[in-house]
Amino acid sequence: RAGRSAGLACTPCAVCNADDLYGGDAFQQLFHHLSTRPLPTEAAMVGYTLADTLSGSGGVARGICVLGKERMLQLVTEVREIRRVEGWITGEAGEDETVELEGTEVVSMNLWGFSEPVVELLQRQFRRFLARLGGDPSAEFPLSTAISEQVQMGTVRVAVLPGKSDWFGVTHAADRSEAEAMFRARIAEGAYPSDLAAAFRGRRNTP
């Protein structure tokens, strides 16, 4: 199998962005799902409400999700430059294609739970991507688009879990002060340690 031959065999695992704050509840939901319901779904995603993930400093890119029965993922469409304009929310879904959004849409913020077969499929997709566009430094391999392709082909089913905690991320430099204020508040309420490195060292040394 591709994953094993490359030395990348894995049990169910979570994948997230390093510059996003998802909230502890989101990871708890993902852990519970992967621990108790590995089948029939092979993957899971924590979804957030679009309006709760916008930046007041400029446009953002989001994976707009279409859900089916029992909150199963049907499609993810990458929309860029999403922002509020005079009371409206607009974005760019392609070249010269402007879309209007309601703000209630479920979006992917790249918090996923994958089983080993999904990781193996992603490896194959990435190899094809490199063969086509590996020489283009501006080319991207969006994770949400790759998973959406798997869903469309019927090779993967993805359960979308509702994000109950507040999400926050830094997209623009002007987001920094708000991010710092949020971190200080989370530290004050005990949700995060004041020294993250020391907290991890303490966990490793705990029997």
Side-chain angles (χ1 to χ4, degrees):
R1 301 170 71 180
R4 296 188 185 280
S5 62
L8 296 175
C10 62
T11 55
C13 61
V15 176
C16 66
N17 290 343
D19 58 350
D20 288 333
L21 182 69
Y22 297 98
D25 177 77
F27 289 97
Q28 290 173 358
Q29 283 195 81
L30 204 55
F31 175 81
H32 177 75
H33 182 87
L34 294 175
S35 299
T36 61
R37 293 187 55 195
L39 295 176
T41 59
E42 296 175 314
M45 183 201 86
V46 178
Y48 292 82
T49 302
L50 173 62
D52 296 334
T53 70
L54 298 180
S55 169
S57 307
V60 296
R62 298 287 181 260
I64 307 297
C65 301
V66 176
L67 307 187
K69 294 181 179 180
E70 299 181 349
R71 292 185 63 88
M72 300 302 294
L73 184 66
Q74 291 187 331
L75 178 70
V76 183
T77 302
E78 284 291 324
V79 180
R80 300 180 179 276
E81 290 301 318
I82 302 176
R83 65 183 73 213
R84 294 184 185 274
V85 180
E86 298 179 353
W88 298 87
I89 300 176
T90 64
E92 298 176 4
E95 293 185 9
D96 300 323
E97 182 184 354
T98 300
V99 296
E100 293 184 356
L101 302 162
E102 296 180 357
T104 58
E105 294 85 354
V106 174
V107 295
S108 163
M109 302 307 297
N110 269 342
L111 179 52
W112 301 90
F114 294 146
S115 62
E116 184 177 348
V118 178
V119 174
E120 293 174 352
L121 288 170
L122 285 168
Q123 287 180 292
R124 297 174 193 171
Q125 288 172 288
F126 189 61
R127 284 195 291 268
R128 290 195 296 269
F129 166 80
L130 291 178
R132 295 195 322 270
L133 300 169
D136 182 357
S138 65
E140 294 182 273
F141 181 78
L143 190 55
S144 59
T145 300
I147 295 299
S148 183
E149 290 175 358
Q150 292 186 22
V151 171
Q152 293 297 293
M153 291 186 294
T155 55
V156 169
R157 299 182 68 215
V158 181
V160 179
L161 312 177
K164 299 176 182 178
S165 302
D166 293 334
W167 170 93
F168 190 79
V170 177
T171 304
H172 304 281
D175 296 329
R176 176 173 176 173
S177 59
E178 187 177 353
E180 290 178 343
M182 179 172 286
F183 274 116
R184 285 194 292 269
R186 294 292 174 89
I187 291 171
E189 66 187 26
Y192 290 104
S194 57
D195 188 329
L196 189 60
F200 275 113
R201 286 196 298 271
R203 283 182 177 274
R204 286 199 300 268
N205 295 330
T206 301

